[in-house]
Amino acid sequence: MKKNHFEIKTQKYKVRDINLNVAVAGRGEPLILIHGWSNSWIGWTLLARELSPYYKLYMPDLPGFGDSDALPRYSLEIINRYLSEFIKSYVPNPKAIIGASSGTFVATHVVDTEGFNTSLILIGAVLKRRRTALIKETYSKLLSFSQDSKLAHRAFEKIIKNRYSAYFVEKYIHAYRFDKELVDLYFVPGRKKVNGKSYIQLGVAIMGYILDEELKSLSQKTLLIFGSSDKYVSAKTAEAFVKNANNPNLSVEIIDKAGHSPSYEQPKKTAQVIREYLGNQNN
């Protein structure tokens, strides 16, 4: 068993016309981890601790998030240009690209459009569900209406940065079991650095991206990881999707006693699933 001397260092990488903030940890074959919509690399800390003895981890703050520079405008295509250039310039042969929550849209988009020869691991992918379609449509319209409004940017930013909004989301939507200490350590810090403009405009792009259809045709080996108590996509729905997709490259694993974010609710189990999956790709 490898000894885990855990250390994370952040570094600014020049990518096109901005500085991309990237947290780096571990050693071995490289993995790229892409955070969710209202977080930063900090949300990966607990999973990184478990994976760092076996892989070298690159955890970028997406442009406009965390400590990366902002952009004039945001979309999946624009984010993709920066992320793909970072990968090609600094991590040209990643063993896998891992996305969490809304980061699964970014990860899938960059792998699909750039044709990277890598495994794809999606944690808490938000698949389309009939009973949430109206909510998604309503929220998408709200974001679309607000995407060019500076007043709306400031309003959304104020809400997201409020720690009590983080508690509400985790307690009633994300978490299997609400843990205020975990939220304060690994969820609130990312939200505190959210840019209202990047949040809204990337949100519009995500709402318009049908992840389900992309996954059905992916040629890269792809693992979907869900918590057994994920309120967005149930384990039953996830398993049925993979079964009916008729894509031999897709597989699914369910993490017990976890909600939408098993990477920090059950980091040991999630890391074990990832290690076993990637190990099997070598066989």
Side-chain angles (χ1 to χ4, degrees):
M1 182 176 180
K2 295 187 179 183
K3 185 178 179 180
N4 191 354
H5 175 65
F6 183 61
E7 182 181 23
I8 294 180
K9 293 183 178 180
T10 58
Q11 180 178 340
K12 295 292 176 65
Y13 290 80
K14 188 68 175 179
V15 181
R16 299 173 73 91
D17 55 341
I18 70 167
N19 289 312
L20 198 69
N21 185 62
V22 182
V24 182
R27 62 182 62 189
E29 292 182 285
L31 305 180
I32 296 172
L33 286 71
I34 302 172
H35 63 77
W37 191 11
S38 56
N39 213 326
S40 67
W41 72 262
I42 290 175
W44 290 115
T45 303
L46 294 178
L47 182 63
R49 183 185 297 276
E50 301 300 325
L51 289 175
S52 62
Y54 309 96
Y55 300 99
K56 187 163 187 178
L57 312 175
Y58 293 85
M59 300 167 279
D61 286 336
L62 294 176
F65 292 82
D67 292 312
S68 287
D69 289 348
L71 300 174
R73 196 162 188 84
Y74 301 87
S75 69
L76 281 175
E77 289 74 21
I78 293 171
I79 293 292
N80 175 47
R81 288 201 290 269
Y82 287 89
L83 185 58
S84 62
E85 184 160 322
F86 167 73
I87 295 170
K88 292 173 183 177
S89 299
Y90 301 106
V91 197
N93 296 296
K95 177 71 174 176
I97 296 178
I98 304 174
S101 189
S102 58
T104 62
F105 293 85
V106 178
T108 302
H109 189 270
V110 76
V111 166
D112 188 36
T113 57
E114 297 296 327
F116 286 121
N117 182 25
T118 181
S119 295
L120 181 63
I121 298 175
L122 307 178
I123 303 174
V126 185
L127 303 175
K128 186 177 181 180
R129 294 193 303 167
R130 189 174 301 170
R131 71 187 181 92
T132 59
L134 180 59
I135 297 173
K136 179 179 176 181
E137 182 181 354
T138 303
Y139 195 48
S140 181
K141 288 180 178 178
L142 175 61
L143 291 175
S144 297
F145 179 77
S146 306
Q147 64 177 327
D148 293 315
S149 167
K150 291 182 180 180
L151 182 62
H153 296 169
R154 289 194 293 268
F156 269 92
E157 193 171 300
K158 187 174 182 179
I159 293 169
I160 297 302
K161 288 183 176 182
N162 186 303
R163 69 173 58 246
Y164 294 102
S165 71
Y167 296 158
F168 178 86
V169 169
E170 283 297 293
K171 186 172 185 177
Y172 296 106
I173 301 176
H174 282 180
Y176 166 74
R177 181 180 291 113
F178 177 70
D179 187 320
K180 181 177 177 293
E181 183 178 358
L182 284 181
V183 177
D184 284 337
L185 287 173
Y186 306 115
F187 199 44
V188 169
R191 293 173 73 94
K192 288 290 186 182
K193 294 185 176 182
V194 163
N195 175 306
K197 184 176 183 179
S198 61
Y199 177 85
I200 291 173
Q201 291 185 353
L202 187 58
V204 170
I206 287 170
M207 295 293 181
Y209 188 70
I210 308 303
L211 185 61
D212 308 47
E213 296 305 316
E214 298 299 329
L215 292 176
K216 289 177 182 178
S217 59
L218 274 181
S219 59
Q220 290 86 352
K221 293 291 185 182
T222 301
L223 172 65
L224 304 179
I225 299 177
F226 290 91
S228 60
S229 299
D230 193 319
K231 295 182 177 68
Y232 291 105
V233 180
S234 70
K236 183 178 179 180
T237 297
E239 291 170 336
F241 168 76
V242 170
K243 180 180 179 180
N244 296 327
N246 293 319
N247 184 345
N249 295 308
L250 291 183
S251 57
V252 62
E253 290 285 347
I254 308 300
I255 306 293
D256 193 28
K257 296 182 179 179
H260 187 57
S261 305
S263 56
Y264 88 91
E265 283 197 290
Q266 295 290 348
K268 288 183 182 294
K269 292 180 181 179
T270 305
Q272 182 180 352
V273 166
I274 291 171
R275 287 179 54 209
E276 289 176 355
Y277 179 77
L278 294 179
N280 289 336
Q281 301 309 305
N282 295 327
N283 298 332

